[in-house]
Structure formats: C-alpha cells, structure tokens
Amino acid sequence: MGFGMAGAVWGPQVDELQNDHRCCHYDHLGVGESDRGPFLRTIPAMADDAVRILDDLSWDRAHVVGVSMGGMIAQELALRSADRCESLTLVATHDGAPVATLPTLRGMRLFLQGLFGGPKSRMRSLPRLLYPEEFLESIGPEAIASHLDVRLGHPPALRTVLGQLYAVMRHSTESRLSQIELPTLLVRPGKDILIRPTQTDRLAERIPNAQVLRFDDAGHGVTFQKAAELNAALRDHFAQHGSDQPRATPPVAARV
C-alpha cells in the first residue's frame, strides 16, 4: 500500500479479485498490525519485506501491484527479484527523479496539512488530496466518511510516517527502469495532485513495452474511485501474463 496506509485499503481490489485469485496484502512495518520496526527505512529494505512475505507464504511467484509508495517498492522488487514476479502493475507512482516528483502546490499544501495536522485536519485534507471535487460531490459525505475510516481509523505513529517519508525521498530507480523486462501495466490517474500524471508518462518512456491505463477523471485514490474498472484491467493483465507452467491452485495476486 501507499504512504502511511494499512493493507486493508486494498479492500476494493481484494474483495473482487479473491473470487478467482489467491490475494495477499499486508501492513508495512509500523502500520496496522505489523511490528514497529526500525525508525528509518529504505525502499529496497521494504522490497525485501515483500520477498520475505512471499517466502513465508511459500509462493514462488506473484502478480505484483503497488500504488504510490507501494509502487516504488514494487519497482525495487521487480529490479531485485524479477524471478518472483509474474507481472508488474504500478499505480500513481514515480521513479524518484528530483524536482519532477514534487506534488502540485495544492497537493503539497494538503499533504502537509494531513501529515502534521491533527485528526480533524487529516479528515478535511485527505479527501481533497486523493479525489477530485466532482467525485467527492457525487459520492456523498457518508460514503467518504466510511472509506476514510479504513484509511485513518488507526493512523501510524509519527516516527513511522517520518521513516516512510525518508524512504520515499531517497527512492531512485530512474537509471535502472530499462532493466525491467516484466509485463508492466501503468495506471495513470489524470487528476492526481499528489503524484503528477506526467510521472506515469516518464515511467512509460523508461520501462520497455509498458502499457498505460488512463483514468483521466481520477485522482490519487484511483484504487477506490475507479475500483471496478481497475479490477477488470488487473484481471485481464494477470490472465495475459500468467505462467505457462501448470498450477495446482489459481494464480496469485500479491500487493505491496
């Protein structure tokens, strides 16, 4: 999952895809039900966490999906452990290039309000950071409040948030992306104010044979806003790029 978020936020995907896939989502160290872990983290270390989870599950390979910070982790996982990946999906993420990865001014303001403000400030800023205003108006306050309870009901400690922020700021894969040979789907929310849509374009230029799925009216919270369409695309992507080897069980979808 992304920055500061518990694995349960993958609910819109897992609830659907578990009908025909084995699905794994998890809490990063310091989030949800995971142990606190060290203060400062790196994205490669978090990719190692994902490999250990695959090992613990005795899963040799998986379709790997990551959103935002999770997409950075997924990039490292694909670069460091490509043999464990059936396919790769990167949602609303970037390659760590300096300056270009900065949010819009509005996105930065809302992000800082959510990061350093109190609970009320987070509840006000997070919806506006993740979703376009027209979507918030269409879904209504009750549905948004229920959704945010999953995201904000048990926020991580400040040390965890700062440790993850350190990891994100040090993330850099730009010079190595051409090494990714996995079938890759890039999800581009066109109204994302936290990670600019042009960052997906940069990934598409650098990852060989990557395909781009555009949601021009979606914000950073595309996994919720466009859940049905995204789930259908994930299912197609997995089916097209699953292993040719016989399986005793359905293919795996693992999320980071």
Side-chain angles (χ1 to χ4, degrees):
M1 202 358 96
F3 182 85
M5 296 296 170
V9 181
W10 280 117
Q13 281 64 57
V14 172
D15 289 348
E16 168 65 23
L17 294 174
Q18 68 183 356
N19 291 325
D20 47 17
H21 292 76
R22 289 182 299 165
C23 297
C24 170
H25 66 77
Y26 64 93
D27 295 334
H28 297 298
L29 287 174
V31 178
E33 298 182 8
S34 284
D35 295 336
R36 187 169 73 161
F39 169 39
L40 295 180
R41 304 300 319 277
T42 66
I43 296 296
M46 297 167 88
D48 290 342
D49 293 342
V51 172
R52 281 192 290 272
I53 289 172
L54 290 175
D55 290 342
D56 289 344
L57 292 170
S58 298
W59 291 3
D60 293 333
R61 295 171 65 82
H63 296 286
V64 176
V65 185
V67 59
S68 196
M69 183 186 76
M72 303 173 203
I73 298 167
Q75 291 169 52
E76 283 290 350
L77 182 58
L79 288 164
R80 296 157 63 89
S81 302
D83 60 318
R84 307 300 298 271
C85 307
E86 292 274 15
S87 71
L88 179 66
T89 301
L90 304 176
V91 184
T93 191
H94 64 65
D95 60 14
V99 181
T101 58
L102 291 176
T104 66
L105 289 177
R106 181 168 183 264
M108 178 65 77
R109 175 172 57 83
L110 292 171
F111 175 77
L112 292 175
Q113 288 175 355
L115 183 61
F116 295 110
K120 290 184 178 180
S121 178
R122 285 195 294 273
M123 289 295 289
R124 288 194 303 268
S125 62
L126 189 63
R128 296 158 60 207
L129 178 65
L130 295 177
Y131 306 111
E133 292 294 338
E134 54 269 26
F135 175 71
L136 294 176
E137 293 174 3
S138 70
I139 194 172
E142 291 185 3
I144 285 295
S146 175
H147 172 60
L148 290 181
D149 185 59
V150 177
R151 290 180 174 268
L152 298 178
H154 302 282
L158 181 60
R159 74 182 297 276
T160 297
V161 172
L162 294 177
Q164 288 190 0
L165 186 60
Y166 173 83
V168 168
M169 292 179 66
R170 289 175 56 86
H171 166 63
S172 179
T173 56
E174 181 184 17
S175 64
R176 296 177 286 146
L177 290 177
S178 62
Q179 301 171 26
I180 295 179
E181 299 179 351
L182 295 167
T184 302
L185 178 66
L186 304 174
V187 179
R188 183 188 192 275
K191 292 190 174 182
D192 192 342
I193 62 172
L194 182 58
I195 295 182
R196 298 172 189 258
T198 51
Q199 294 306 306
T200 300
D201 302 331
R202 289 173 57 87
L203 292 172
E205 291 171 358
R206 289 161 175 76
I207 299 176
N209 302 314
Q211 295 183 328
V212 179
L213 174 63
R214 301 173 65 101
F215 292 111
D216 292 338
D217 60 342
H220 193 69
V222 62
T223 57
F224 175 68
Q225 184 180 348
K226 294 293 184 179
E229 297 95 326
L230 177 58
N231 293 347
L234 289 173
R235 182 173 278 112
D236 288 345
H237 186 56
F238 300 161
Q240 291 176 26
H241 303 294
S243 172
D244 291 331
Q245 299 301 315
R247 290 179 180 270
T249 55
V252 172
R255 310 194 188 312
V256 297

